[in-house]
Amino acid sequence: MSVTIEDKVELFSKMIFGSIEEKSSQMKERLGETHKKELEELSKDVEKRKEEFVQAAIKRAERERVKLIAKTKNEQQHVLLNKKQQAIQKVMERLQEFARNFTDTEAYKDYMKKSIESIIITLDKSKQITFFVMEKDFQLVGQILEQKLVNTDNQIKYDIKKTTNNIIGGIIAEDMLNPMQLDLTLTALIDEYKETVGAAITHKFDEVSSL
């Protein structure tokens, strides 16, 4: 059987187009694999970025939470501190009011007598003492000194002067020949008590703040 030209052309066409289709199919397959890999890589990159974004958001939220807690705590501490200072101030004002009222009592006269006795004993080597008192205590202190010194052999020279300090009762005694001063004023006693008051109030506020 002879092969015609048409048969040869058809065979040649099948060989050519068959090869093209095969190569085209292979190319499509390779492109599909490449595209698939690109999509997979893109998907992984998206997931990675999403995770990074989520973690960054979590960290940012945590920082804000810590900052808010610290701010709230500082505000609470500031409020408590103000309340504590107000409480201390109120107690001190009451003590000062009590001291002012105390200076008008008979018990105050006894306090002044004991204070002067303590000064004379402490400054027994002194030759000249100045007693600084409130103006209204001039007469009282003069009488007490005369009574105390007249019955002793102590030849102390003394002056009574109005104090320039803002005191509430009591006496400031100063050895005029030696650098020594005794502060037996009610103001000094109140100031010493302030530390105790502050410690007690602070303890109570610490108990409240720990709840």
Side-chain angles (χ1 to χ4, degrees), residues 22-42:
E22 184 180 354
K23 289 182 179 180
S24 176
S25 177
Q26 292 175 354
M27 185 175 293
K28 286 180 180 179
E29 187 176 343
R30 285 198 299 270
L31 287 174
E33 291 177 356
T34 301
H35 183 62
K36 183 179 179 181
K37 289 181 179 179
E38 288 178 350
L39 286 176
E40 289 176 352
E41 291 177 359
L42 180 61

Side-chain angles (χ1 to χ4, degrees), residues 79 82 92-93 203:
V79 171
N82 285 339
M92 298 308 294
E93 287 174 355
H203 178 68

Side-chain angles (χ1 to χ4, degrees), residues 3-109:
V3 179
T4 65
I5 294 176
E6 287 79 2
D7 292 336
K8 291 182 179 180
V9 170
E10 184 179 354
L11 179 61
F12 178 75
S13 296
K14 287 182 178 180
M15 292 176 61
I16 296 299
F17 285 109
S19 177
I20 291 174
E21 287 179 358
E22 184 180 354
K23 289 182 179 180
S24 176
S25 177
Q26 292 175 354
M27 185 175 293
K28 286 180 180 179
E29 187 176 343
R30 285 198 299 270
L31 287 174
E33 291 177 356
T34 301
H35 183 62
K36 183 179 179 181
K37 289 181 179 179
E38 288 178 350
L39 286 176
E40 289 176 352
E41 291 177 359
L42 180 61
S43 178
K44 289 180 181 179
D45 186 60
V46 169
E47 287 296 324
K48 180 180 178 182
R49 290 180 182 277
K50 185 173 72 172
E51 181 66 21
E52 290 175 351
F53 176 79
V54 170
Q55 291 301 322
I58 292 174
K59 289 181 180 179
R60 184 165 59 251
E62 179 64 16
R63 286 196 299 269
E64 292 298 324
R65 186 184 72 84
V66 171
K67 188 186 296 183
L68 181 60
I69 291 174
K71 181 181 178 182
T72 302
K73 188 174 181 180
N74 287 337
E75 290 175 351
Q76 291 175 342
Q77 289 178 341
H78 184 67
V79 171
L80 287 175
L81 180 61
N82 285 339
K83 292 293 184 182
K84 184 179 75 173
Q85 294 298 332
Q86 291 173 10
I88 293 173
Q89 183 64 28
K90 186 176 291 186
V91 171
M92 298 308 294
E93 287 174 355
R94 289 180 179 176
L95 286 174
Q96 290 168 359
E97 183 63 25
F98 174 81
R100 279 188 285 268
N101 294 332
F102 178 67
T103 60
D104 296 324
T105 65
E106 288 298 319
Y108 177 67
K109 294 179 181 179

Side-chain angles (χ1 to χ4, degrees), residues 136-185:
K136 75 172 191 175
D137 288 335
F138 266 50
Q139 185 177 355
L140 173 62
V141 173
Q143 291 173 351
I144 296 173
L145 282 170
E146 288 180 4
Q147 293 171 1
K148 295 298 178 182
L149 295 178
V150 74
N151 298 321
T152 66
D153 296 329
N154 201 322
Q155 300 301 314
I156 296 175
K157 293 181 181 181
Y158 66 86
D159 291 322
I160 304 174
K161 294 183 179 181
K162 178 183 176 181
T163 179
T164 56
N165 296 336
N166 185 22
I167 67 170
I168 304 175
I171 305 172
I172 297 175
E174 186 173 339
D175 186 333
M176 303 308 294
L177 302 179
N178 296 294
M180 183 178 292
Q181 186 183 82
L182 299 177
D183 189 344
L184 300 181
T185 62

